[in-house]
Amino acid sequence: MKKILILGSSGSIGVNTLNVVRKFPDKFKVVGLTVNSRIELLEQQIKEFRPEFVVVTNESKARELKSNIGNLCDVLSGNDELLKAASERDYDILLGAIVGFAGLQPTLEAIKRGKRIALANKETLVVAGEIVNKLVLEHNAEIIPVDSEHSAIYQCLVGENLNEVEKLILTASGGPFLNKDKSLFENVTVDEALNHPNWKMGNKVSIDSATMMNKGLEVIEAHWLFGLPVKKIEVVIHPQSIIHSMVQFVDGAIKAQLGLPDMKLPIQYALTFPERLQNDFKRTDLPVINALNFFKPDFDKFECLKLAFEVIKVGGTAPCILNAANEVAVEKFINKKIKFSQISQLINKALDKVENHSDPDIETIFECDKKTREFLMDAGF
Ligand code: NAD
Ligand code: MG
């Protein structure tokens, strides 16, 4: 029986994790759940999964939940309790499904305890990949990716030698604007941008998919997870999202992992690796899918993707600046404060003006995230 702590249980990945856990009551026990504020959903989750404790980062929501559920479980509140959950509570696997930079610190706490981290929060590796890798080695921790592309690559690499990898091929659906002319980006609405053709995800990652920043973040994530230079990472548009990603080896062989676009499988794999467990999830019916297509991405149209390739070459805190500026820009777009086409402009501005630090320590990363947000606020964004 593995004890699981789920950070971000009210989100798209959090809910899907519980959909997996529900299927294997004799394999997993949910010991803790955390959310930012959606206490109605959390209350249902508490009643079904009976965790020992929950953390609600929003303090007034935590009080409200406490009065609703009495002593069904410990209700803790605030960011410090979130960190303490990761650093002190008893669990085997941390499922990291908080969105954005906020996911970094609790993940680091779990790494320092040598835990298995089933990592959905790609931003952790984007902003601090090098530091994370050092800590994972030092503390004998384990990061198993939940992101479907990285899970696919992870699966393709089982039994293989990393030195024999020629390149990683990350597939990208291309998002809702794959076939839209760039001149129309000026006027796309939030609803159009949120309407992903293949995946139902949280707002931030949905907008990231529309700008293709998501694929950019995933290139950086893959670089740190698999220790390969970006020149060995290629992005290919594959609109059906059936091939989740591929690995090409030095002899020219390509291995791929296929499946329906459903996060339950990569989540399950990250929880059970190296085992595979029988499940009843819907199977891929290839004749029904009929055709799989592949195209080169358009870097001029999707500038965010280009910027992500650039920051990893620059190194230092550049990926952290990119990430923070992107989080600010996406939030502003969702709140209708800027246009879709301004997202990449705002990120460019931050990359241009916020000072880059080479070889940053973790304090420098936190400082850089804060400085970037302040810069954009001061610059009137
Ligand atoms: P979401 O917005 O649906 O959920 C985010 C969760 O994080 C919620 O539970 C929320 O309460 C919590 N949260 C948000 N801000 C917080 C804060 N400041 N402190 C503590 N908790 C906070 O997001 P999601 O779509 O589930 O994505 C989660 C992560 O997984 C992201 O990093 C995303 O890129 C990654 N991911 C998601 C998908 C997907 O299919 N949704 C696929 C691959 C990777
Ligand atoms: Mg992905």
Side-chain angles (χ1 to χ4, degrees):
M1 196 80 158
K2 293 272 187 241
K3 296 179 207 150
I4 306 186
L5 167 57
I6 303 175
L7 307 185
S9 70
S10 59
S12 158
I13 294 289
V15 166
N16 262 320
T17 301
L18 291 170
N19 289 338
V20 171
V21 167
R22 182 181 294 116
K23 303 270 181 184
F24 303 103
D26 54 340
K27 293 275 181 192
F28 304 115
K29 162 90 187 97
V30 176
V31 292
L33 298 170
T34 82
V35 307
N36 195 29
S37 61
R38 287 182 62 193
I39 54 169
E40 300 76 17
L41 178 58
L42 179 60
E43 187 173 333
Q44 288 170 24
Q45 294 176 344
I46 292 168
K47 288 180 177 151
E48 180 178 355
F49 293 94
R50 295 302 172 113
E52 290 159 18
F53 68 96
V54 298
V55 183
V56 181
T57 31
N58 179 313
E59 310 211 354
S60 71
K61 290 282 179 188
R63 278 194 295 276
E64 204 180 316
L65 177 72
K66 220 174 204 160
S67 74
N68 292 350
I69 65 158
N71 52 12
L72 265 186
C73 72
D74 288 349
V75 178
L76 306 158
S77 67
N79 201 44
D80 287 350
E81 290 296 337
L82 173 66
L83 293 185
K84 273 214 263 177
S87 64
E88 292 176 12
R89 289 281 181 160
D90 179 27
Y91 62 90
D92 302 304
I93 305 176
L94 179 126
L95 192 302
I98 290 176
V99 60
F101 188 86
L104 172 63
Q105 223 176 346
T107 308
L108 293 173
E109 294 302 330
I111 294 172
K112 288 188 214 151
R113 294 176 70 196
K115 300 289 184 190
R116 167 174 295 196
I117 293 112
L119 188 65
N121 178 256
K122 63 192 85 186
E123 294 88 347
T124 286
L125 285 166
V126 170
V127 301
E130 193 165 5
I131 296 169
V132 165
N133 279 349
K134 276 192 199 135
L135 285 172
V136 164
L137 265 182
E138 190 183 332
H139 298 278
N140 203 15
E142 193 183 20
I143 293 187
I144 316 280
V146 164
D147 215 345
S148 56
E149 296 75 3
H150 306 74
S151 176
I153 292 168
Y154 203 91
Q155 293 178 57
C156 292
L157 286 173
V158 169
E160 300 287 354
N161 184 342
L162 262 179
N163 297 325
E164 293 169 359
V165 172
E166 196 162 83
K167 65 178 176 186
L168 306 179
I169 305 170
L170 283 182
T171 54
S173 69
F177 304 142
L178 176 62
N179 299 315
K180 204 178 197 71
D181 197 86
K182 190 177 180 181
S183 62
L184 302 173
F185 278 10
E186 190 80 354
N187 295 318
V188 301
T189 65
V190 175
D191 286 343
E192 284 168 335
L194 286 174
N195 188 19
H196 197 281
N198 303 342
W199 300 91
K200 182 87 201 80
M201 310 179 286
N203 285 353
K204 194 256 179 186
V205 59
S206 297
I207 302 299
D208 284 350
S209 298
T211 61
M212 287 199 72
M213 176 58 93
N214 184 48
K215 209 51 52 181
L217 299 179
E218 290 182 357
V219 168
I220 305 174
E221 181 185 13
H223 162 68
W224 292 117
L225 261 178
F226 304 110
L228 290 169
V230 275
K231 65 172 191 299
K232 289 191 172 189
I233 305 175
E234 184 183 332
V235 172
V236 170
I237 304 287
H238 164 48
Q240 293 88 358
S241 298
I242 295 296
I243 296 190
H244 295 307
S245 277
M246 302 175 248
V247 180
Q248 182 170 316
F249 295 90
V250 288
D251 58 357
I254 297 178
K255 278 168 88 173
Q257 187 259 328
L258 287 74
L260 295 172
D262 180 346
M263 290 307 295
K264 291 202 293 301
L265 174 57
I267 291 168
Q268 177 179 317
Y269 188 78
L271 297 178
T272 66
F273 173 81
E275 256 188 283
R276 289 187 186 271
L277 295 185
Q278 168 91 47
N279 62 30
D280 61 358
F281 304 155
K282 193 165 176 225
R283 299 308 196 230
T284 316
D285 189 345
L286 291 172
V288 168
I289 290 158
N290 185 263
L292 301 177
N293 301 108
F294 306 97
F295 312 98
K296 277 188 187 306
D298 182 341
F299 287 94
D300 291 328
K301 181 164 148 183
F302 294 105
E303 207 192 343
C304 289
L305 181 59
K306 187 164 71 188
L307 290 174
F309 271 96
E310 281 169 16
V311 295
I312 196 69
K313 284 180 199 144
V314 174
T317 48
C320 180
I321 298 169
L322 170 110
N323 179 70
N326 181 55
E327 286 188 30
V328 171
V330 168
E331 196 182 320
K332 288 195 180 297
F333 172 67
I334 289 173
N335 293 326
K336 304 196 167 91
K337 300 273 192 260
I338 61 171
K339 293 182 173 185
F340 185 75
S341 51
Q342 286 179 293
I343 295 176
S344 60
Q345 289 170 18
L346 201 140
I347 298 165
N348 249 322
K349 191 144 225 150
L351 285 169
D352 207 30
K353 296 285 187 215
V354 180
E355 192 187 352
N356 186 20
H357 292 267
S358 56
D359 202 15
D361 57 17
I362 197 68
E363 287 75 27
T364 310
I365 298 283
F366 280 96
E367 188 64 17
C368 171
D369 176 78
K370 193 163 149 239
K371 282 232 169 83
T372 306
R373 291 167 198 266
E374 283 168 1
F375 162 75
L376 289 171
M377 201 143 62
D378 294 347
F381 284 112

